[in-house]
Amino acid sequence: EKCEHMGGFFTLMSMAGGTGSGLGTYITQCLRDAYPKSFFLNEVIWPYGTGEVIVQNYNSVLTLSHLYQSADALLVHENDTVHKICAQLMGLKHISFKDVNQVIAHQLGGVLQPAYSSVGATAYGQNPVGNLLESLSPHPEYKLISIFNIPQMAEASLAYSAFTWPGLLKHL
C-alpha cells in the first residue's frame, strides 16, 4: 500500500512461548527485510518468574536474541511487576487478565499518544515512533526500554487524590 509517510511498526508479543514469541519474532524479521529503513518498536511481555510454560526461559532467550537483531527498541513489561502494581498500588484482590492489560494499556497510552514537536507549538511530530526511539535509545545497541508512570491507583481513588510531587514519587 502506498502512503506519504510511514512512522514505523509497533508490535506486541509475549516471550514465554507459543504463537506470540515465535510468530511475532518471524513477522518482525520479515517486516525488517521488507522495510529496512523503518523504525521497529516491539512491546514484549516478560513471563512470570514462577513459570507459566516449562520452556519459557528458553523461549524468552531465543525470542530476545532474534528481536535484538531486527528491532530498534524492545519495550519490556514484566508480568511480575504489572501483577505487583495491580495488587499493591491499585489494591486489587483478584487480579484478572483485564486488570493486567489495563495497566499495560495505561502505560503505553502515556508514551504513545501524540506529542508536540519542537518545530512549533501547534505541529505534531512527523514520526512519533522515530522521535520516541531517538530519545529513549540514543545508541543502537541500547535497545531494552522499561516504562514507569505515575499515578498507578484504582479508578475510584483518583477523584480523592491530590497530586503533589512527593505523593507521586511515592508511587514509583
Side-chain angles (χ1 to χ4, degrees):
E1 185 174 325
K2 292 185 178 187
C3 65
E4 291 179 12
H5 182 78
M6 183 177 68
F9 293 95
F10 177 67
T11 60
L12 291 97
M13 66 187 73
S14 171
M15 291 183 58
T19 307
S21 61
L23 185 62
T25 303
Y26 179 72
I27 289 172
T28 301
Q29 289 174 339
C30 290
L31 287 172
R32 173 57 81 187
D33 292 341
Y35 301 96
K37 294 183 180 181
S38 294
F39 290 104
F40 287 85
L41 175 61
N42 290 75
E43 157 68 24
V44 293
I45 308 297
W46 200 265
Y48 284 104
T50 56
E52 300 170 359
V53 180
I54 195 161
V55 291
Q56 73 180 14
N57 295 332
Y58 180 69
N59 289 337
S60 297
V61 169
L62 285 176
T63 302
L64 191 60
S65 69
H66 286 285
L67 286 177
Y68 210 81
Q69 294 172 7
S70 56
D72 293 312
L74 301 170
L75 186 58
V76 180
H77 272 98
E78 299 175 38
N79 271 338
D80 290 326
T81 304
V82 175
H83 195 88
K84 184 178 173 183
I85 289 171
C86 290
Q88 293 179 355
L89 297 179
M90 297 178 70
L92 300 175
K93 301 226 185 284
H94 303 288
I95 300 167
S96 66
F97 283 120
K98 179 182 176 188
D99 299 324
V100 170
N101 288 337
Q102 185 176 7
V103 169
I104 292 172
H106 180 262
Q107 291 183 350
L108 289 175
V111 174
L112 297 175
Q113 62 186 339
Y116 286 113
S117 71
S118 60
V119 175
T122 60
Y124 285 102
Q126 292 295 318
N127 188 351
V129 175
N131 293 342
L132 178 69
L133 294 180
E134 287 173 358
S135 300
L136 295 179
S137 29
H139 190 275
E141 292 299 317
Y142 303 149
K143 296 184 178 186
L144 296 177
I145 301 170
S146 295
I147 296 177
F148 295 98
N149 64 348
I150 46 180
Q152 290 284 351
M153 60 182 60
E155 292 274 336
S157 301
L158 287 175
Y160 305 105
S161 298
F163 298 121
T164 62
W165 281 112
L168 290 174
L169 292 176
K170 180 177 74 173
H171 289 284
L172 282 176

